[in-house]
Amino acid sequence: MRKKRLLLALPLLLTACATTPPSSVENACRIFREKPDWFDASLAVEKKYGLPVQVQLAIMRQESSFKHNAAPPRETFLGIPLWWRESSAYGYAQVKDETWDWYKDKTGNWGADRDEYDDAVDFMGWYADMSQKTLGISKWDAYNQYLAYHEGHGGWQRKTYNSKGWLVSVARKVDANARMYGEQLRGCRHRLNSSPWWWPF
């Protein structure tokens, strides 16, 4: 009976592990050691779109803290939470409904889900590619990539972020985290590429 219960519980445990945020978000090597499938997905996006892995991580950390079901707070009335939320943004990449539909329509990735890491980073890569082609923003420029990600292409062109000091500060933080992750990855990337995930770094 105990063995049967264990077998029944195993899929639930695996699902929980797959969706739980990394235990440490300060170190890219530890993130990918804990989530080897994330490294495979991020590497595939880097090869497909040219968006560096460290920029993917920095934007995702800012947007959702690596929570698969992250969502904005609910609207309130007299301090009482209402049914609807402040925005339709959802998932790892905090993408709004209409933007996600645009992505699926342009890429044909109709089965994509915002709460799946591989789909979320593919969206990031696609959007950064659009930002580079439309606005000329380098994919290595985490600061401006994030501003275009947050404000949209039109907002970035109009420089709407200039009136949002808090957003400029956040973009600087994203840039600093991307640089930190990049430095960390330089020390462990070869092992992530070649070693079994259980090997210590």
Side-chain angles (χ1 to χ4, degrees), residues 66-85:
F66 301 105
K67 295 174 184 172
H68 76 286
N69 60 351
R74 296 186 184 281
E75 294 275 10
T76 59
F77 178 71
L78 299 177
I80 302 170
L82 302 175
W83 178 256
W84 55 90
R85 296 185 182 275

Side-chain angles (χ1 to χ4, degrees), residues 22-34:
S23 55
S24 172
V25 300
E26 296 294 331
N27 190 292
C29 303
R30 290 178 185 172
I31 290 172
F32 289 135
R33 181 186 180 189
E34 190 175 331

Side-chain angles (χ1 to χ4, degrees), residues 51 55 58-59 124 127-132 134-162 167-176 178-179:
L51 182 65
V55 178
I59 292 175
M124 286 182 173
Y127 195 88
D129 192 51
M130 294 283 288
S131 297
Q132 195 266 329
T134 306
L135 307 172
I137 302 173
S138 166
K139 292 166 191 174
W140 291 83
D141 182 354
Y143 175 80
N144 279 294
Q145 279 289 346
Y146 182 74
L147 289 174
Y149 190 92
H150 191 278
E151 297 295 273
H153 293 158
W156 187 88
Q157 286 179 311
R158 295 192 304 275
K159 299 189 183 334
T160 54
Y161 51 85
N162 280 339
L167 179 58
V168 171
S169 295
V170 168
R172 287 185 182 133
K173 181 180 175 183
V174 170
D175 184 61
R179 292 173 189 276

Side-chain angles (χ1 to χ4, degrees), residues 2-167:
R2 185 178 292 176
K3 187 181 286 186
K4 188 176 180 181
R5 284 179 185 165
L6 223 100
L7 288 171
L8 288 171
L10 193 58
L12 294 174
L13 287 170
L14 290 173
T15 302
C17 289
T19 56
T20 303
S23 55
S24 172
V25 300
E26 296 294 331
N27 190 292
C29 303
R30 290 178 185 172
I31 290 172
F32 289 135
R33 181 186 180 189
E34 190 175 331
K35 309 275 189 181
D37 54 325
W38 285 17
F39 179 69
D40 293 339
S42 281
L43 192 61
V45 167
E46 184 178 84
K47 290 177 179 177
K48 181 178 179 181
Y49 294 110
L51 182 65
V53 172
Q54 60 264 30
V55 178
Q56 299 171 39
L57 286 180
I59 292 175
M60 185 175 289
R61 176 180 176 179
Q62 182 59 45
E63 291 298 280
S64 68
S65 297
F66 301 105
K67 295 174 184 172
H68 76 286
N69 60 351
R74 296 186 184 281
E75 294 275 10
T76 59
F77 178 71
L78 299 177
I80 302 170
L82 302 175
W83 178 256
W84 55 90
R85 296 185 182 275
E86 296 175 1
S87 164
S88 63
Y90 177 74
Y92 284 115
Q94 286 296 280
V95 190
K96 293 181 179 179
D97 291 347
E98 58 271 21
T99 309
W100 193 250
D101 288 341
W102 178 40
Y103 159 72
K104 291 195 291 186
D105 180 59
K106 292 298 182 182
T107 62
N109 191 10
W110 293 105
D113 292 315
R114 287 174 285 182
D115 56 6
E116 294 287 343
Y117 182 90
D118 56 343
D119 291 330
V121 289
D122 192 78
F123 168 81
M124 286 182 173
W126 172 80
Y127 195 88
D129 192 51
M130 294 283 288
S131 297
Q132 195 266 329
K133 289 174 179 174
T134 306
L135 307 172
I137 302 173
S138 166
K139 292 166 191 174
W140 291 83
D141 182 354
Y143 175 80
N144 279 294
Q145 279 289 346
Y146 182 74
L147 289 174
Y149 190 92
H150 191 278
E151 297 295 273
H153 293 158
W156 187 88
Q157 286 179 311
R158 295 192 304 275
K159 299 189 183 334
T160 54
Y161 51 85
N162 280 339
S163 62
K164 302 175 182 178
W166 62 269
L167 179 58

